[in-house]
Amino acid sequence: MKIIRYTDTQKQEHYGSLLPDGSAERLTGTPYSGLTTTGEKADVQKLLAPVAPTSILCIGLNYRKHAAESGKPVPEHPVLFVKGQGALQNPGDPIELPRALRSDEVDYECELAVVIGKPCKNVTPEKALDYVLGYTCANDVSARDWQNKWGGSQWCRGKFFDTFAPLGPCLVTPDEIPNPNGLGIRTILNGEVVQDSSTEDMIFDVKTLIAFLSGSTTLLPGTVILTGTPPGVGMAATPPRWLKDGDSVTIEIDKIGQLTNPVKEE
């Protein structure tokens, strides 16, 4: 199932199921307690991020070729950083370039996002996928100047700005993606493909990441895990390719779809 979250003409929030013809059917319930079909056409006036995260956990340097283009060694353990809930952005809504706390080096990063569906602690890699609610597209937007130069060796300041975690367009349930490490993943910037890879290039696969993050730690339902980006980020281009006002960024992942956001100044 491909699940969407949306508001209708009365600004009421609902979940829906995408149908093959592109329309959607309204669902009742929640993805965590269970969803039931209504047989009613969904009155989709605004598409929202498919989940409202309880936390956003992010993994850095998780593709071998991206680690190489960043000039970093392959990490021994997954590299963890976090984003705040305020970083969440809906499909179609703008990525805002920070201006009050200014950044002139804002970058795109296509990523596979994993959503946890039930409390998860100390799981083994063999059981890890049993806790997955679904998968969606993510853009780990990054202010590289704050990440690499002014953040005091911590990445969070450069990753934590409002609108820096677009998610969508839908949440795809695991029955449609039995192997999350066999998906094509790409970024399209103003119509040009700038990242084009596969999730099979991950250093730590999805099962390993869930096992690692749940070690001595409870992952609550609604936890979103961003699993790293492949090579081709703007920081590594010559000259660097920073996002600017008027740009359009699309994250595309096989079996999920396209997440598109315009870029504007704060």
Side-chain angles (χ1 to χ4, degrees), residues 1-2 112 114 125-135 172-183 199 205-207 210 254-256:
M1 181 183 291
K2 290 182 172 64
L112 173 69
V114 181
E126 292 74 22
K127 296 290 187 180
L129 296 187
D130 294 344
Y131 293 82
V132 174
L133 179 68
Y135 305 94
V172 181
T173 52
D175 58 298
E176 296 197 16
I177 301 179
N179 176 20
N181 285 103
L183 303 172
T199 57
D205 64 13
V206 170
K207 294 183 291 185
I210 295 171
D254 294 353
K255 298 186 178 181
I256 298 176

Side-chain angles (χ1 to χ4, degrees), residues 59-94:
I59 304 298
L61 300 174
N62 196 34
Y63 283 69
R64 294 183 185 278
K65 292 178 182 177
H66 175 57
E69 75 175 356
S70 301
K72 306 288 187 181
V74 171
E76 181 180 357
H77 302 288
V79 177
L80 173 64
F81 62 93
V82 298
K83 289 177 182 270
Q85 293 173 322
L88 182 69
Q89 187 56 299
N90 302 311
D93 285 347

Side-chain angles (χ1 to χ4, degrees), residues 30-34 51 54-55 57 114-124 126-134 171 174 210-211 213-215 217-225:
T30 75
Y32 310 106
S33 62
V51 295
T54 51
S55 61
L57 308 180
V114 181
V115 181
I116 298 298
K118 55 188 177 180
C120 174
K121 182 175 181 179
N122 293 330
V123 302
T124 64
E126 292 74 22
K127 296 290 187 180
L129 296 187
D130 294 344
Y131 293 82
V132 174
L133 179 68
L171 184 72
I210 295 171
L213 293 170
S214 72
T217 306
T218 300
L219 305 181
L220 297 174
T223 297
V224 173
I225 303 169

Side-chain angles (χ1 to χ4, degrees), residues 151-171:
S153 80
Q154 300 293 322
W155 289 1
C156 289
R157 177 63 283 180
K159 302 278 193 170
F160 214 92
F161 291 107
D162 286 355
T163 76
F164 271 31
L167 295 179
C170 60
L171 184 72

